[in-house]
């Protein structure tokens, strides 16, 4: 057979085109089966997760009994309150040498603070020196606090001594030069029939003869401060003698954050430290939860305080108020990159010293004119 005959006998091979239509029945069958398996698996997981969750919500007791609170809409963060990064210009001091230096006082150029491990310390020439302890035992966790003690508010008196409020132990006077400690008022002493549970801050008159102090709760201790905030009951007290005994005047309301310690400013006003803000515009978790006590109960049935704290934004805010309560200026660190968990702003010799109830350092910021 010649080559030409062979070519005539060959039939051209047509390419086979595989279309989706050819595989539709198999694909549909496989997809349907896989879908059923996926849905069944998902439903089983949902049941396994939901049943224990619902059981926990029904059977577990909530540690708090919150009441609905009604807050005004937070002030807009505009003008004086305009967000900035001024707190990021601060420098950290004694980093990783301190734990939770809540409050700060100076006697001359020597600085003092109280720490989460139960100490009152002197900070001088780059050295940290313990001058007093009000408790004993291991001081490593929050559960150790009642025995260990937790110095919070600290003030310098007129006679070169320190006055210290310990959350668990009471009020003390400390001579930092002689290492002498004097108990002024024990937390075990009932006042008006109620025991003090959370001695927080104090101030001293110029002559050193009177101390005004706060007891943040007659129910919750300092180690449960988040439960105190979330429950929102008005069981805290402040103690004043004289003409103002039993009375109080509203100085300022509807602040842009949740205030902690208050200290005088050189301009005649006051510095207020805030460890978290009420964003506007934006979302404030505490404002959102304030009118939803059922959500608060659910949260603390399921999560520990430490877990909840991880969801609180680390937005630090320092606010200066005038002597009439007007907003004078604000300093921000929106992400808490440098200054975090600010509890107090202490002004000394042209600088602001920032205390923190949680951070392992102090911060210092050169004070600029407003």
């Amino acid at each position: 057979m010649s080559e030409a005959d062979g070519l005539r006998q060959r039939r051209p091979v047509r390419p086979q085109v595989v279309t989706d239509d050819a595989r539709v029945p198999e694909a549909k069958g496989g997809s349907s089966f896989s879908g059923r398996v996926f849905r069944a698996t998902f439903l089983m997981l949902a049941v396994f997760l939901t049943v224990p969750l619902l059981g926990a919500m029904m059977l577990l007791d909530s540690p708090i009994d919150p009441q609905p609170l009604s807050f005004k809409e937070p002030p807009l963060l505009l003008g004086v309150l305009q967000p900035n990064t001024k707190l990021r210009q601060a420098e950290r001091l004694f980093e990783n040498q301190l734990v939770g230096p809540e409050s700060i006082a100076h006697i001359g150029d020597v600085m003092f603070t109280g720490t989460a491990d139960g100490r009152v310390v002197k900070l001088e020439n780059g050295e940290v020196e313990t001058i007093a302890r009000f408790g004993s035992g291991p001081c490593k966790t929050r559960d150790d606090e009642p025995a260990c003690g937790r110095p919070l508010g600290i003030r310098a008196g007129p006679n070169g001594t320190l006055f210290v409020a310990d959350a668990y132990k009471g009020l003390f006077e400390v001579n930092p030069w002689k290492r002498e400690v004097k108990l002024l008022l024990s937390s075990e002493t009932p006042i008006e029939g109620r025991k003090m549970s959370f001695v927080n801050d104090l101030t001293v008159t110029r002559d050193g003869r009177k101390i005004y102090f706060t007891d943040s709760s007659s129910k919750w201790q300092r180690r449960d401060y988040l439960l105190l905030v979330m429950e929102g009951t008005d069981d805290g007290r402040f103690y004043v003698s004289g003409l103002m005994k039993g009375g109080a005047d509203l100085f300022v309301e509807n602040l842009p954050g949740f205030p902690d310690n208050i200290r005088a400013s050189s301009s005649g006003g006051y510095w207020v430290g805030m460890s978290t803000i009420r964003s506007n515009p934006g979302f404030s978790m505490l404002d959102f939860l304030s009118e939803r006590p059922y959500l608060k109960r659910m949260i603390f049935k399921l999560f520990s305080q430490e877990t909840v704290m991880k969801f609180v934004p680390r937005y630090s805010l320092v606010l200066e108020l005038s002597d009439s309560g007007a907003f004078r200026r604000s300093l921000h660190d929106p992400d808490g990159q440098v200054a975090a968990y600010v509890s107090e702003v202490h002004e000394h010799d042209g600088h602001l010293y920032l205390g923190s109830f949680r951070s392992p350092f102090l911060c210092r910021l050169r004070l600029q004119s407003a």
Side-chain angles (χ1 to χ4, degrees):
M1 182 174 62
S2 66
E3 181 179 352
D5 293 336
L7 288 172
R8 282 195 298 269
Q9 291 182 8
R10 292 174 185 167
R11 294 180 180 179
V13 180
R14 295 180 180 178
Q16 292 184 345
V17 179
V18 179
T19 65
D20 291 339
D21 294 338
R23 294 184 296 181
V24 166
E26 181 181 355
K28 282 186 176 179
S31 175
S32 177
F33 176 74
S34 300
R36 288 196 298 270
V37 171
F38 173 78
R39 286 194 294 271
T41 304
F42 178 79
L43 288 174
M44 290 177 64
L45 287 173
V47 170
F48 286 142
L49 293 175
T50 302
V51 170
L53 183 63
L54 291 175
M57 291 170 56
M58 295 177 62
L59 298 176
L60 293 178
D61 291 328
S62 174
I64 59 174
D65 182 23
Q67 303 302 314
L69 300 174
S70 181
F71 290 163
K72 293 183 179 180
E73 181 182 350
L76 289 170
L77 297 182
L78 299 172
V80 172
L81 299 178
Q82 182 73 38
N84 55 64
T85 57
K86 293 181 179 179
L87 287 183
R88 292 183 185 169
Q89 300 172 19
E91 59 175 324
R92 292 180 175 180
L93 305 177
F94 301 97
E95 190 164 8
N96 297 322
Q97 299 180 64
L98 305 170
V99 183
E102 164 94 7
S103 182
I104 305 159
H106 276 87
I107 298 178
D109 291 328
V110 182
M111 184 163 51
F112 301 89
T113 189
T115 58
D117 53 2
R119 298 181 298 155
V120 177
V121 298
K122 180 176 74 170
L123 308 173
E124 185 179 22
N125 299 324
E127 300 291 329
V128 179
E129 183 181 351
T130 301
I131 61 170
R133 283 185 180 273
F134 306 135
S136 61
C139 304
K140 296 181 180 180
T141 69
R142 55 185 293 272
D143 292 329
D144 296 329
E145 284 191 5
C148 180
R150 178 51 165 114
L152 295 178
I154 184 170
R155 300 275 193 162
N159 301 316
T161 62
L162 299 170
F163 292 89
V164 185
D166 186 287
Y168 300 91
K169 305 300 182 180
L171 301 179
F172 294 85
E173 184 177 10
V174 177
N175 186 320
W177 322 114
K178 298 181 179 180
R179 310 295 193 269
E180 293 176 349
V181 175
K182 179 182 179 182
L183 176 63
L184 301 177
L185 179 65
S186 171
S187 294
E188 299 295 327
T189 303
I191 297 181
E192 297 177 351
R194 290 192 295 176
K195 178 184 174 182
M196 296 181 289
S197 294
F198 189 167
V199 181
N200 196 338
D201 201 7
L202 77 168
T203 189
V204 185
T205 57
R206 292 181 180 179
D207 60 8
R209 298 178 63 184
K210 289 185 179 180
I211 299 174
Y212 302 94
F213 69 99
T214 55
D215 176 26
S216 294
S217 177
S218 57
K219 175 181 179 181
W220 298 107
Q221 294 182 319
R222 196 223 73 93
R223 57 179 172 169
D224 296 318
Y225 68 90
L226 193 56
L227 300 181
L228 166 61
V229 172
M230 285 296 187
E231 189 168 66
T233 51
D234 55 351
D235 64 339
R237 296 171 289 174
F238 65 97
Y239 299 100
V240 181
S241 62
L243 297 177
M244 284 296 295
K245 184 175 182 179
D249 291 326
L250 180 63
F251 179 62
V252 61
E253 62 177 341
N254 202 30
L255 292 168
F258 292 86
D260 202 339
N261 295 354
I262 303 170
R263 295 295 184 265
S265 71
S266 59
S267 64
Y270 303 93
W271 294 109
V272 183
M274 301 181 183
S275 60
T276 188
I277 70 163
R278 304 167 62 213
S279 299
N280 188 13
F283 174 75
S284 169
M285 182 179 71
L286 292 179
D287 279 71
F288 174 77
L289 292 174
S290 64
E291 297 183 356
R292 297 168 176 84
Y294 60 93
L295 286 180
K296 294 182 182 180
R297 292 190 188 94
M298 184 187 307
I299 289 171
F300 285 98
K301 281 185 178 183
L302 302 175
F303 303 105
S304 67
Q305 294 182 69
E306 286 298 320
T307 301
V308 174
M309 275 297 296
K310 294 177 182 179
F311 293 94
V312 178
R314 291 179 55 175
Y315 194 119
S316 294
L317 173 63
V318 166
L319 187 64
E320 185 182 14
L321 304 175
S322 71
D323 59 358
S324 62
F327 301 154
R328 177 169 284 167
R329 58 175 150 177
S330 64
L331 313 174
H332 302 241
D333 186 346
D335 301 311
Q337 291 184 12
V338 176
Y341 307 112
V342 175
S343 56
E344 180 178 298
V345 185
H346 170 71
E347 184 177 341
H348 175 75
D349 195 24
H351 289 83
L352 298 181
Y353 292 83
L354 310 180
S356 172
F357 66 91
R358 194 176 176 91
S359 298
F361 51 79
L362 290 168
C363 284
R364 179 174 62 188
L365 177 67
R366 183 174 293 279
L367 184 61
Q368 306 292 332
S369 57

